[in-house]
Amino acid sequence: MFTTISHRSLLVSRSALRKVAGSNSFANQSKSCITITPRFFSALSQEEEEKEKARVASLSKYQTELELRDFDKEIARLNTLRGINTGELYTFRGKFKALARDYGMAFMAWYWTVWMSTAALTYTAIEFGNVDAMAIIAKADTYTGFDLCSKIDPTLGTIGLTIAFNEMLEPIRLPIVVLTTKPIVETFYPKNY
């Protein structure tokens, strides 16, 4: 539904721009300000975009890297200003959104690394601690009225118990991952600016 509404509003905007572009007084202004197509928005006109492509093609690799660093620095500054203006910079939810925006794939990789590590440690603790997973499942059967204990292989029972305990660790694991994502990622991939 969101995409339908967005697409409709985009079509309305395009038709409104065509009407404005069709009038003589605003024709030159609307063409130089924005370009809208059904799936793409650009603040540059077609001519400005071509000039920029030619300018970037003439830069050396080093000049391009320096320019990209400046752009990254400016984007980070603008995101901080946006967070201040919306108030999201001062809330846990806003900080989490910024973390996901800035460290998306790295955050997911670190989260799953920590999740797999805690799962391996939990499984090892169950195995070496001589915890009888089938006895725990049998105890759960008495409360639920099911007969899972006779239908489950002991190895799968241990794996199931590992996953259950690992998920119980989530309230401890998630804050640790959120707090350590930025230093861990920047250790492996330091910022260039």
Side-chain angles (χ1 to χ4, degrees), residues 24 58 93 104 130 140 181 183 193:
N24 292 333
S58 68
R93 180 175 180 257
N130 292 327
T181 295
Y193 58 90

Side-chain angles (χ1 to χ4, degrees), residues 1-13 38:
M1 180 160 177
F2 177 73
T3 56
T4 306
I5 293 170
S6 299
H7 186 66
R8 286 181 186 160
S9 63
L10 186 61
L11 291 176
V12 170
S13 300

Side-chain angles (χ1 to χ4, degrees), residues 122 125-127 129-150 152 154 157-162 164-165 168:
T122 304
I126 289 172
E127 282 295 314
N130 292 327
V131 176
D132 188 9
M134 298 312 289
I136 294 174
I137 293 172
K139 186 71 169 175
D141 284 346
T142 60
Y143 291 120
T144 61
F146 295 120
D147 188 24
L148 295 177
C149 188
S150 63
I152 295 178
T158 303
I159 292 171
L161 187 63
T162 299
F165 280 141
M168 287 183 208

Side-chain angles (χ1 to χ4, degrees), residues 92 95-96 99 107 110 172-185:
F92 184 73
K95 289 179 184 178
F96 188 76
L99 183 73
F107 172 75
W110 177 236
I172 298 167
R173 181 176 44 242
L174 185 62
I176 290 171
V177 169
V178 168
L179 291 174
T180 59
T181 295
K182 187 174 181 179
I184 294 294
V185 170

